[in-house]
Amino acid sequence: MISHAKVAHMKTMTRLLSGLALSLAALALCPSLEARAAGTSASDAQLVQQGKYLAIAGDCMACHTAHGGKPFAGGLALASPLGNIYSTNITPSKTAGIGNYTLEQFTRALRAGVRADGAHLYPAMPYTSYAQVSDADVKALYAYFMHGVAPVDTRAPETKLPFPFDIRLAMAGWNLLFLDDQPYKPVPDKGELWNRGAYLVRGLAHCSACHTPRNTLMAEDASQDLGGAYVGPWYAPNITSDANSGLGGWSEQEIIEYLSTGHTAKAQASGPMMEAIDFSLRHLSNNDLKAIAVYLKSVPAIHEAADTKAVFDWGSASDKLDTVRGAAWPSNPDQMTGAQLYDAHCASCHQAQAQGSFKGGLPALFHNTATGRLQTNNLVLTILDGIHLPAQGNGVVMPGFRDVMSDAQVATLGNYLMQAYGNPAGKVTAEQVAALRKGAPAGPGPQVDLVLVARVGLVIAGLVLLLILYLIFRPRRRRA
Amino acid sequence: MAESLNADYVVIGSGLIGSLTAMKLAQAGASVLILEAGPRYSRDQIVANFRNSPRRSDWMSPYPFSPWAPHPVYKPEDNGYLIQAGPYPYPAEYIRMVGGTTWHWAAHAWRNVPNDHRIHTLYGVGVDWPVSYDELEPFYQEAEEIMGVSGADNTGSPRKKPFPMEPVAEPYAMRRIRERLDPAYKVVTNTTARNSRPYDGRPACVGNNSCQPICPVDAQFNGGRAVAKAEAAGVKLVPNANVYKLESDAKGRVVAALYYDPNKGTHRVTGKTFIVAANGIESPRLLLLSSSDKFPKGLANARDMVGRHLMDHPSTSLTFDADEDVWLGRGPQSPSSINTMRDGDFRKEHAPYRLDFTNISRVDGATTALIAAGVYGAEFKRRLRYSAARELNVKTVLEVLPHPENRITLSAQKDGMGIPKPEAHYFIDEYTHKGAIRALDDFRRIAELMGGTNLRYTRDGEYANNQHICGTLSMGNDPATSVVDKWGRAHDHENLYMVGTGVIPTAGTCNSTENGLALALHTVHHILGGQSGGSASVQS
């Protein structure tokens, strides 16, 4: 399967390109290095519990724990084209972790991406989202990390990126442009539940980190908020309120069910979303999940023209068994038909006509977003690697077929599924499968590789722009 | 032909037990080579073959037949590979292919009951095992953790640790049987190597009801998965390597295995230790084929014990129509049984047995029967529905005692590679027959409790073979009556071990794979140096 590290790597690769933009902004802004004495002393059990819940909501564990490592001791390697970025030790160890952090320093790291020693964090840390977290919740998180987490005195490996990306101060300029470091302010006329949902979605749950596309400087494009974006090889789909492209056709209950199990008749989580659910979202209270659902259903609709009907509304039950029965397998397995591949690999669970069974326990493949979107990467990756529960012993929800199917076979099967059960405009190619098999962010259409290359070019151009912007913003900021 | 394969351990046969034995040795750092007579075939090919087969109740039909590694085939007609010397037929089915015969099985993974190990002492029949239940207990546990086994806790086999998982959900038909037979009979969930939850990278059972011939999702453990685990541990597997002789030196040490490739090219493989794991028929056959001037009767056969004590678990059965719809065919094929007749003082008089309820869909069988009876049209539809909904079947799983006359020998006939075919000599004795007679009372009572009509018993003296090939390489302390010692080592050959169901001394009433695997893990423990007896610590 796509491992946790790989997923982190995808997120990081995306975010890291932003680092390119920043090297020039390495100017002033030298925060104080003085370490103030650790602030709180008394451990308020309730506060610690609250902080623990919030840490789960923020999914801190996912990145700050190495495979098989101690909780929050960091050291998870987030591979990037520029070298590994290692997550840090955020246990209360005074020698290796954040045990010496004051509440203020902790707050600054969380919301502004600045370490106690003044160095800037790489935006692998989603501080642009965490910036929304309230003072009270930051305090609870701080209490948890100081008193609810066992200190681990082992330092995580240091991240050493090549010049110029080693100049962390470069992030300061980017932050000036794209970081709103003010905590969430409730919208008075929206009600408590909606505000709670907005607070979580925009803040700790950091949904936009994956689901919102990024602009040429790799910052989230607010005009496309939650409109769907590639995250490495995966596609984090549109979760706006659009009836066809997004969640407009979902009931609140369906969204809650999805976030707490990763499984509904309409859609099933896999890859990084299943990871987010398994480590984080399924632990949230029903009220918080309901709040998220209420808020998501209010997010301004972004419609994709190709979605002429709802992405969970394509296809119908059918089979092509008449072409399979009595027909010999071709001597070259790459020439097997989609119906033959479906019969051998899929029908045992998804049934002869892809109708699924057990009231959706084994999902139908029609009327399912798995086959309803033009972006077919997730379908291919799920065929290759199946669906696993990374926080539950990597348990298999669906087995992967990486070892038994060739690229050509996966392409044939993928196209068969799209044609027979999904949006027939969606295509799968063998080249796409080959790239995805390696974990490369390849996909159909121009969204991926070429765009990345182009963005690098744009970023270099953007450097000049940034310099100008920085010069404009700096004086104002100082006056403020 | 020049071939220079060599390993610390050479395992002959890639079935579930041979592969897991190889895996354990490789995990301990040894170089391990498996020689498998048959070809490599993937699960999806078998699934496709099965779905495309016109004979879906013939569980051998999806499996390839390889002329260079022949195995018995009975449908549509007997290929004459396993010669039947009689007087009673022993139509064993097995698969010569990478992974072996557990590609298709019902995944029953029973432990003995403790008294199975002492039936000579306690009941004056059969022989005692050289390994006690308590000695074997940690290896049963290890076997269950490797395969992913679940079951009821109250089947007479004590355990020190819980099963690795909860039982698979009870199918509706089994629930009704359990409810209606209570309290006269206690119907319990079978102990099976079938996932009720994701386990070891395999998904949970989704109820395809084709455990035999193939679990299409690997929810049940099988030889294919065992091979995958062995290869992941670093074992090298050579398919299409039909071993026809083990060479030995003057001291009785085995020095090489000779095999034919599909073109009958000869290859020679050397090793330090040889482990024969080619099932209860092919393993004795290979030993008998490995004769030399020093060992004219074959290897490990100085006292003419190889191939003897052939056993199985013969079945009689009752089919009837219940007075309510139960719809067999949902969930796994063999989910529930009655275990109250597995042990007792009656074993002095007659065979013990388990009573097993089938859950195999009746549609194929009923369709065939109706067509044969000339039924068609609306009447066909009505009666097919009735049979599919109402039909139930319960069978005995009877113990047979180890008799030296029941044996595998070499036939005068040769197979396609010019190697003598195996020949089965078999009879079913009064002890087993009396057990079957005793079980008729249970059959009648069960039918009565289910409101049964149209009772169809198997004919008196007619037994179905359950393909639990055991005996033939009997384990025992006395070289005069056994082939291997309690560690599975040939009495006369210090570097020759045998694993598999062939080494089982008495059949008991439990399907043989788990017993064979537990004994194999016990053997591995010995080979790797932990020979301390009862308190063996298990590496997992």
Side-chain angles (χ1 to χ4, degrees), chain B residues 239-364:
Chain B
N240 303 311
N242 185 349
V243 178
Y244 62 91
K245 183 167 186 165
L246 298 176
E247 272 184 11
S248 51
D249 65 13
K251 291 180 195 160
R253 287 181 62 86
V254 178
V255 294
L258 304 179
Y259 75 82
Y260 290 136
D261 64 33
N263 300 315
K264 219 179 166 181
T266 298
H267 304 254
R268 187 168 185 272
V269 177
T270 54
K272 291 177 188 153
T273 299
F274 288 79
I275 300 173
V276 180
N279 102 0
I281 290 176
E282 295 295 334
S283 287
R285 180 186 181 219
L286 175 60
L287 296 171
L288 295 173
L289 286 167
S290 300
S291 58
S292 61
D293 290 345
K294 184 162 171 65
F295 301 104
K297 288 191 269 185
L299 284 182
N301 199 30
R303 297 160 204 87
D304 192 22
M305 279 295 119
V306 167
R308 294 189 182 275
H309 308 115
L310 175 66
M311 295 174 286
D312 175 43
H313 297 109
S315 279
T316 55
S317 72
L318 168 66
T319 305
F320 62 93
D321 301 336
D323 64 0
E324 62 173 305
D325 290 356
V326 288
W327 292 107
L328 294 189
R330 295 179 291 182
Q333 286 181 336
S334 185
S336 298
S337 62
I338 296 168
N339 287 262
T340 46
M341 288 297 285
R342 292 180 66 185
D343 188 42
D345 228 30
F346 63 82
R347 292 178 85 170
K348 290 173 180 164
E349 306 300 325
H350 67 77
Y353 52 88
R354 286 192 314 108
L355 290 166
D356 231 15
F357 294 94
T358 188
N359 186 36
I360 297 173
S361 163
R362 310 310 285 176
V363 173
D364 194 32

Side-chain angles (χ1 to χ4, degrees), chain A residues 52-72:
Chain A
K52 181 179 183 182
Y53 178 83
L54 296 165
I56 290 171
D59 208 3
C60 311
M61 178 81 88
C63 287
H64 283 282
T65 302
H67 299 298
K70 292 184 176 151
F72 303 114

Side-chain angles (χ1 to χ4, degrees), chain B residues 168-246:
Chain B
V168 173
E170 184 181 42
Y172 175 77
M174 300 298 122
R175 191 184 100 201
R176 291 302 297 141
I177 291 170
R178 175 173 56 76
E179 289 169 350
R180 293 190 63 175
L181 266 49
D182 183 70
Y185 292 99
K186 191 164 178 55
V187 178
V188 299
T189 302
N190 283 335
T191 303
T192 56
R194 178 174 295 106
N195 285 356
S196 57
R197 60 171 171 84
Y199 187 85
D200 194 26
R202 295 178 290 112
C205 175
V206 291
N208 274 281
N209 199 244
S210 67
C211 323
Q212 302 165 104
I214 179 71
C215 173
V217 301
D218 279 345
Q220 80 181 11
F221 194 77
N222 62 56
R225 301 312 303 168
V227 168
K229 289 172 84 73
E231 292 188 314
V235 172
K236 180 177 162 62
L237 186 148
V238 183
N240 303 311
N242 185 349
V243 178
Y244 62 91
K245 183 167 186 165
L246 298 176

Side-chain angles (χ1 to χ4, degrees), chain B residues 523-539:
Chain B
T523 292
V524 169
H525 182 68
H526 164 79
I527 290 176
L528 295 178
Q531 309 169 26
S532 56
S535 58
S537 70
V538 179
Q539 302 166 354

